[in-house]
Amino acid sequence: MSEFKYRRAQFFAQMNKNSMAIFPAGSEKIRSNDTEYPFRQNSDFYYLAGFNEPDACLLLIKKTDSQKAILFNRKKDKSAEIWHGYRLGQSAAVSELGFDKAYQFEELQDHLQKRLDGLTTLYFPIFQDANLDKTLATVINELRAGRRKGKVAPTTYIDSLSILHEMRLIKSTSEIELLSAAAEISAAGHICAMQKCHSGMWEYQLQAEVEHEFALQGTRDAAYNSIVAGGENACVLHYTENNCQLHDGDLVLIDAGAEYQGYAGDITRTFPVNGVFSEFQAKLYQLVLDAQISAISQVKPGVALLDINKSVIKQLVDGLLELGVLQGDSDTLIKNEAYKEFYMHGIGHYLGLDVHDVGDCGSTENPRLLEAGMVVTIEPGLYISSAADVDDVWKKIGIRIEDDVLVTEFGAEVLSADVPKSINEIEALMADAQQHG
Ligand code: GLY
Ligand code: MN
Ligand code: MN
């Protein structure tokens, strides 16, 4: 509770006087007819409220002499709780979560109508939540319409997320612990996949092994839809169909991460279905691995991910030239972006409550520099589809190697280091598993 209260205090400190900030929770989404997808809380709301039920809203109200954190949440309801599950209710929201007041969710609009009257600044996630936008339009237009009766609508509207996402970008000690746990559980899932993989298996069966291990390690959720892509399927960057058989002689790319107490792991490993890299697979794999290791070695405060990516591009292009996959002059190939046929995504992204976590990245001309406390992924890859104009030996190979990296004061710490990535280590792990059944 103290961490969430501390974050609310940090947000209050950045609010104008005489203002309100609104943070809506997530709502349940229908999967089919009357069944829902598993509920996942809105990350911004969770970061400040620490509350995991749908249909809720947090108000922070700052006046000259007071600041109040008020939760609106579902009311206790015996029948709903018998059918669907426990609800915290209002009095426990105050005693257990430390809000100053809690009211029923249904009362939100009435409270906004009363409490916004006379405040000058309103912070909310502008254009992010259609229901909230609509409610606010009604409430604020009513205040405007009542101006001759002494009602006063806010005149300054600020996107609350610009402040909040800057807070979320730099992780606290306890967030780093949760991200480390998510990375460790994710690593265990990848190790298990290497141990269980064999030709003839279906991609979704290997996915089940990864996610089964997540559950055994203490978390039931994946942070995003797992990608298990055999052979050429790995050339589809966000392949999630996972419905093909794995073939002897192919590589399989697994991009999967556990979500632990809301925090995401995001690991990719690529390994041979039969446990042994072929000559050409090994050459491309080693090139990606060398680029990934050198990228990680560049992670430290003051460096931009964009600049790390430039050095990765140079390394990949030079390697592809050496292997004969690309022909020509390195600088020209880079200038013409010829590498984009084989490496078409960025080097990585922020990681946190969201797998592609929030936070300002700067612009191409003026990129954001890394700071201690940020957590990023480093995930170069090479993808050579059957349509590529290269020698057949290189075709149908997709490789990505992705780790989760904490930026520390002087450098970096790899949170996902438990899962092997060198050719020797992967082959040894798989051989051992094959031998011992
Ligand atoms: N799993 C999505 C990504 O690596 O960015
Ligand atoms: Mn990623
Ligand atoms: Mn990933």
Side-chain angles (χ1 to χ4, degrees):
M1 163 162 132
S2 59
E3 172 119 2
F4 295 105
K5 272 187 104 163
Y6 175 75
R7 291 174 191 163
R8 298 198 284 268
Q10 295 290 99
F11 196 95
F12 271 124
Q14 296 174 74
M15 287 170 70
N16 291 345
K17 283 209 184 88
N18 211 33
S19 67
M20 177 192 287
I22 308 179
F23 298 94
S27 53
E28 288 186 300
K29 306 276 185 294
I30 296 290
R31 179 172 184 272
S32 84
N33 191 15
D34 56 356
T35 61
E36 295 92 20
Y37 287 103
F39 175 69
R40 167 57 159 74
Q41 188 56 281
N42 173 294
S43 299
D44 294 313
F45 173 85
Y46 181 76
Y47 183 82
L48 289 176
F51 180 57
N52 249 331
E53 290 181 28
D55 301 333
C57 189
L58 171 64
L59 302 189
L60 302 181
I61 302 172
K62 180 168 173 173
K63 297 199 175 153
T64 324
D65 51 356
S66 70
Q67 47 190 44
K68 284 204 168 62
I70 303 176
L71 184 73
F72 291 80
N73 59 335
R74 300 182 304 183
K75 63 172 185 262
K76 298 290 284 177
D77 177 330
K78 199 168 173 198
S79 166
E81 292 188 58
I82 287 171
W83 281 88
H84 303 294
Y86 177 75
R87 295 175 171 196
L88 185 68
Q90 283 69 52
S91 60
V94 171
S95 59
E96 291 177 24
L97 301 177
F99 296 106
D100 297 302
K101 288 269 185 199
Y103 299 95
Q104 294 179 11
F105 188 57
E106 290 72 21
E107 300 176 83
L108 175 64
Q109 185 162 337
D110 286 349
H111 276 259
L112 287 173
Q113 199 70 61
K114 272 190 284 178
R115 291 174 184 275
L116 267 174
D117 184 10
L119 296 181
T120 43
T121 306
L122 176 59
Y123 300 84
F124 74 106
I126 298 173
F127 305 144
Q128 295 263 332
D129 182 312
N131 286 333
L132 180 64
D133 291 344
K134 208 166 138 208
T135 303
L136 284 174
T138 307
V139 166
I140 285 159
N141 283 325
E142 201 153 315
L143 287 176
R144 286 169 177 160
R147 70 188 189 285
R148 283 188 300 277
K149 292 182 203 141
K151 304 271 182 217
V152 179
T155 48
T156 304
Y157 297 86
I158 298 177
D159 190 350
S160 51
L161 301 185
S162 60
I163 298 171
L164 192 72
H165 290 179
E166 197 56 31
M167 290 169 61
R168 281 180 55 190
L169 181 52
I170 307 297
K171 273 66 184 178
S172 69
T173 309
S174 64
E175 285 184 293
I176 290 166
E177 277 167 20
L178 295 175
L179 280 161
S180 302
E184 280 165 27
I185 295 169
S186 305
H190 282 264
I191 290 171
C192 176
M194 289 178 187
Q195 290 169 326
K196 296 277 169 60
C197 184
H198 57 82
S199 62
M201 205 173 187
W202 294 80
E203 291 165 340
Y204 61 81
Q205 293 174 330
L206 198 52
Q207 173 186 356
E209 295 288 0
V210 175
E211 292 172 7
H212 179 247
E213 188 64 22
F214 290 171
L216 291 183
Q217 298 285 330
T219 190
R220 58 185 294 185
D221 296 311
Y224 52 92
N225 292 333
S226 303
I227 296 167
V228 179
E232 186 161 19
N233 292 340
C235 297
V236 178
L237 299 180
H238 285 166
Y239 174 83
T240 50
E241 286 164 67
N242 300 357
N243 60 1
C244 292
Q245 246 177 327
L246 297 168
H247 300 298
D248 193 5
D250 278 350
L251 295 177
V252 56
L253 179 156
I254 300 183
D255 183 344
E259 182 175 284
Y260 184 69
Q261 292 188 28
Y263 286 81
D266 184 10
I267 300 181
T268 307
R269 288 293 184 267
T270 311
F271 55 91
V273 169
N274 64 15
V276 181
F277 285 87
S278 76
E279 179 191 346
F280 295 101
Q281 288 166 352
K283 284 184 173 157
L284 278 179
Y285 185 90
Q286 194 60 48
L287 175 54
V288 177
L289 182 60
D290 290 343
Q292 202 245 10
I293 290 170
S294 109
I296 291 174
S297 75
Q298 295 169 57
V299 172
K300 63 173 184 187
V303 173
L305 277 181
L306 263 185
D307 289 325
I308 297 180
N309 199 32
K310 280 185 192 153
S311 88
V312 162
I313 289 167
K314 171 86 179 127
Q315 202 167 340
L316 291 177
V317 167
D318 287 347
L320 289 173
L321 279 170
E322 213 165 291
L323 294 176
V325 178
L326 279 174
Q327 282 92 32
D329 162 67
S330 169
D331 291 343
T332 314
L333 290 166
I334 291 170
K335 194 159 152 262
N336 298 340
E337 300 188 331
Y339 59 87
K340 278 203 173 164
E341 188 184 354
F342 307 123
Y343 174 47
M344 59 295 274
H345 57 74
I347 187 65
H349 49 84
Y350 303 137
L351 187 68
L353 282 167
D354 293 304
V355 63
H356 294 160
D357 207 33
V358 295
D360 169 50
C361 298
S363 61
T364 317
E365 299 74 35
N366 193 15
R368 178 78 181 252
L369 304 181
L370 295 175
E371 292 167 45
M374 291 180 177
V375 176
V376 298
T377 66
I378 295 292
E379 49 178 309
L382 282 175
Y383 312 89
I384 308 187
S385 74
S386 49
D389 184 18
V390 300
D391 195 301
D392 282 351
V393 297
W394 304 112
K395 288 183 179 172
K396 302 189 194 175
I397 298 178
I399 297 165
R400 178 163 65 253
I401 307 171
E402 174 174 31
D403 279 305
D404 303 341
V405 181
L406 166 69
V407 185
T408 61
E409 210 176 325
F410 303 107
E413 183 190 338
V414 180
L415 304 179
S416 50
D418 289 354
V419 52
K421 58 184 175 183
S422 77
I423 290 178
N424 284 344
E425 283 173 315
I426 291 174
E427 288 186 345
L429 176 73
M430 294 183 76
D432 191 56
Q434 285 163 5
Q435 224 167 27
H436 298 99

